[in-house]
């Protein structure tokens, strides 16, 4: 089925309403070796592991789907709800995709991530059997002196790219960027990148989990062995020219009734903005569902259908297409749609 990629069996949840409502989501937590503890201590996410690298706050992916925490569908997954409700709940733009189009994460990089690249749709479908991965990073917080890798500092040939991987000199030609809270980076498929140590990021991406590593600094995985590299595939898909898109403190802050917004990224896959609620702000779209991720502060969501949800730091809400809601309080939210 289109949304339920977890099971091959189509699920109808008998006896429950078909009427969409705002969903408060509980994320699956990933405990990759580079992760920290801020998603646990600062955001209150629960896990049995000592650390939490990623919280998949909006996910219909087979590797971890968001759980619903409120209403009739509490305890079920987001894919199950969307199978129940149909395309109207995601809106015309998202329904035009053959899969639920986006995945949103909070990422706590206590240590640096591997140097990696993601393929585009054509290559990923041909080689991996799933869609490619374009993504956006918003720096929620970072330690002093934190930096990341974003593309190359100059143009390379594929031959030099491969040689530098093999001789462990790749970072000499990478574009190393010091970061600060509030920075934005648009990581188009084919862009070499690596999140540095001490950075907390909100990521909006295509609904894909395909990653090609080219360097992991010699680290060992949980099994005591080096994590695999994917050099040939990375050489196939990497754009070896320097990045041309603006990054960092991009997006003009604009006043709206009750708050402000700052556009972060807009493409044919997703649109994201930073929404600051100072009193009361209305949200919602006729053409697409709206994802709301509370990054700071707290507010109350009151939907047109009467649903009321208190939103604290880390709260993630799926607001169905065609539904509006009012946010009241003082909070900073990542607002995303297709």
């Amino acid at each position: 089925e289109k949304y339920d990629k977890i099971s091959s069996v189509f699920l109808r949840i008998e006896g429950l309403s078909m009427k969409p409502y705002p969903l408060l989501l509980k994320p699956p937590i990933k405990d990759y070796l580079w992760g920290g503890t801020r998603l646990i201590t600062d955001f209150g996410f629960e896990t049995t592991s000592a650390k939490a690298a990623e919280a998949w706050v909006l996910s219909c992916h087979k590797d971890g789907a968001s759980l619903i925490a409120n209403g009739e569908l509490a305890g079920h997954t987001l894919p199950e709800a969307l199978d129940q409700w149909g395309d109207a709940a995601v809106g015309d733009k998202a329904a035009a995709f053959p899969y639920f189009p986006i995945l949103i994460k909070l990422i706590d990089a206590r240590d640096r991530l591997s140097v990696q690249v993601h393929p585009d749709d054509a290559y990923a479908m041909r080689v991996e059997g799933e869609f490619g991965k374009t993504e956006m990073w918003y720096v929620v917080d970072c330690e002093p002196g934190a930096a990341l890798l974003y593309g190359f500092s100059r143009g390379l040939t594929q031959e030099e790219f491969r040689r530098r991987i093999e001789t462990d000199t790749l970072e000499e030609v990478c574009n190393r960027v010091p970061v600060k809270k509030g920075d934005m980076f648009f990581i188009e498929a084919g862009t070499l990148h690596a999140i540095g140590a001490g950075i907390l990021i909100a990521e909006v991406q295509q609904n894909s989990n395909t990653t090609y590593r080219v360097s992991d600094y010699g680290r060992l995985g949980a099994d005591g062995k080096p994590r695999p590299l994917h050099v040939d595939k990375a050489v196939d898909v990497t754009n070896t020219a320097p990045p041309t898109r603006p990054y960092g403190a991009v997006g003009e802050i604009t006043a709206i009734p009750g708050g402000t917004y700052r556009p972060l990224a807009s493409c044919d896959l997703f649109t994201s903005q930073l929404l600051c609620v100072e009193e009361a702000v209305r949200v919602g779209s006729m053409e697409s569902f709206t994802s709301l991720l509370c990054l700071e502060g707290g507010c109350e969501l009151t939907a047109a259908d009467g649903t009321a949800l208190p939103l604290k730091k880390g709260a993630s809400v799926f607001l169905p297409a065609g539904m509006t809601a009012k946010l009241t309080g003082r909070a900073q939210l990542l607002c995303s749609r297709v």
Side-chain angles (χ1 to χ4, degrees):
E1 266 53 45
K2 185 169 185 177
Y3 303 112
D4 186 10
K5 304 299 183 184
I6 299 170
S7 168
S8 60
V9 179
F10 182 78
L11 178 61
R12 282 290 179 190
I13 307 169
E14 298 295 336
L16 296 181
S17 171
M18 291 287 290
K19 187 176 181 180
Y21 65 92
L23 301 177
L24 183 64
L25 301 176
K26 181 179 179 180
I29 305 296
K30 306 294 182 178
D31 62 346
Y32 305 132
L33 59 87
W34 44 261
T37 59
R38 293 192 63 180
L39 298 182
I40 302 169
T41 58
D42 293 12
F43 288 84
F45 294 127
E46 297 178 356
T47 176
T48 57
S49 300
K51 57 188 177 183
E54 296 182 353
W56 291 16
V57 295
L58 178 77
S59 174
C60 286
H61 199 277
K62 61 182 177 60
D63 293 338
S66 301
L67 288 175
I68 298 166
N70 68 307
E72 290 182 303
L73 297 177
H76 294 282
T77 67
L78 178 58
E80 289 170 345
L82 299 183
D83 272 340
Q84 184 86 352
W85 294 342
D87 287 351
V90 300
D92 291 343
K93 289 186 175 181
F97 288 81
Y99 64 109
F100 187 77
I102 63 173
L103 171 62
I104 301 179
K105 304 174 180 177
L106 280 169
I107 300 174
D108 177 20
R110 179 188 58 81
D111 196 1
R112 55 184 175 172
L113 275 68
S114 61
V115 183
Q116 57 189 243
V117 67
H118 308 300
D120 63 16
D121 287 345
Y123 188 96
M125 285 300 296
R126 177 169 57 84
V127 176
E128 308 295 344
E130 75 167 358
F131 285 84
K133 186 174 173 182
T134 285
E135 60 195 22
M136 181 215 72
W137 295 341
Y138 175 75
V139 179
V140 179
D141 200 6
C142 61
E143 295 177 0
L148 54 78
L149 301 184
Y150 181 57
F152 296 98
S153 58
R154 62 170 176 81
L156 278 70
T157 63
Q158 282 190 321
E159 292 74 17
E160 183 183 2
F161 180 37
R162 181 184 292 275
R163 176 175 59 79
R164 286 190 172 275
I165 295 171
E166 294 171 347
T167 59
D168 197 25
T169 59
L170 182 61
E171 289 192 53
E172 295 178 7
V173 292
C174 287
N175 180 34
R176 183 181 184 274
V177 184
V179 298
K180 60 184 183 300
K181 182 176 179 178
D183 282 349
M184 188 285 299
F185 297 83
F186 188 81
I187 317 292
E188 192 170 10
T191 303
L192 195 76
H193 60 274
I195 301 173
I199 303 176
L200 182 66
I201 276 178
E203 177 179 283
V204 182
Q205 60 159 93
Q206 279 184 274
N207 190 4
S208 170
N209 206 23
T210 296
T211 297
Y212 299 149
R213 293 189 200 99
V214 300
S215 173
D216 200 29
Y217 323 109
R219 291 185 296 202
L220 303 180
D223 59 0
K225 300 178 181 178
R227 296 197 296 172
L229 302 181
H230 315 93
V231 175
D232 290 340
K233 292 179 179 179
V235 171
D236 283 346
V237 305
T238 300
N239 178 1
T240 56
T244 57
R245 287 180 176 269
Y247 57 84
V250 301
E252 182 178 351
I253 297 174
T254 301
I256 58 174
T260 66
Y261 81 93
R262 172 189 163 196
L264 297 175
S266 182
C267 62
D268 58 352
L269 300 165
F270 54 80
T271 296
S272 293
Q273 63 184 31
L274 188 68
L275 182 64
C276 289
V277 179
E278 297 171 356
E279 294 178 358
V281 173
R282 289 205 166 271
V283 292
S285 169
M286 295 302 296
E287 297 179 323
S288 169
F289 68 89
T290 301
S291 167
L292 298 168
L293 173 60
C294 186
L295 300 177
E296 291 184 10
C299 61
E300 180 90 11
L301 179 146
T302 307
D305 70 343
T307 299
L309 296 172
L311 305 185
K312 62 179 182 178
K313 187 175 180 178
S316 175
V317 172
F318 175 93
L319 186 66
M323 184 173 293
T324 61
K326 182 171 70 172
L327 301 174
T328 307
R330 297 190 68 86
Q332 186 181 89
L333 302 100
L334 181 67
C335 180
S336 305
R337 58 178 63 93
V338 176

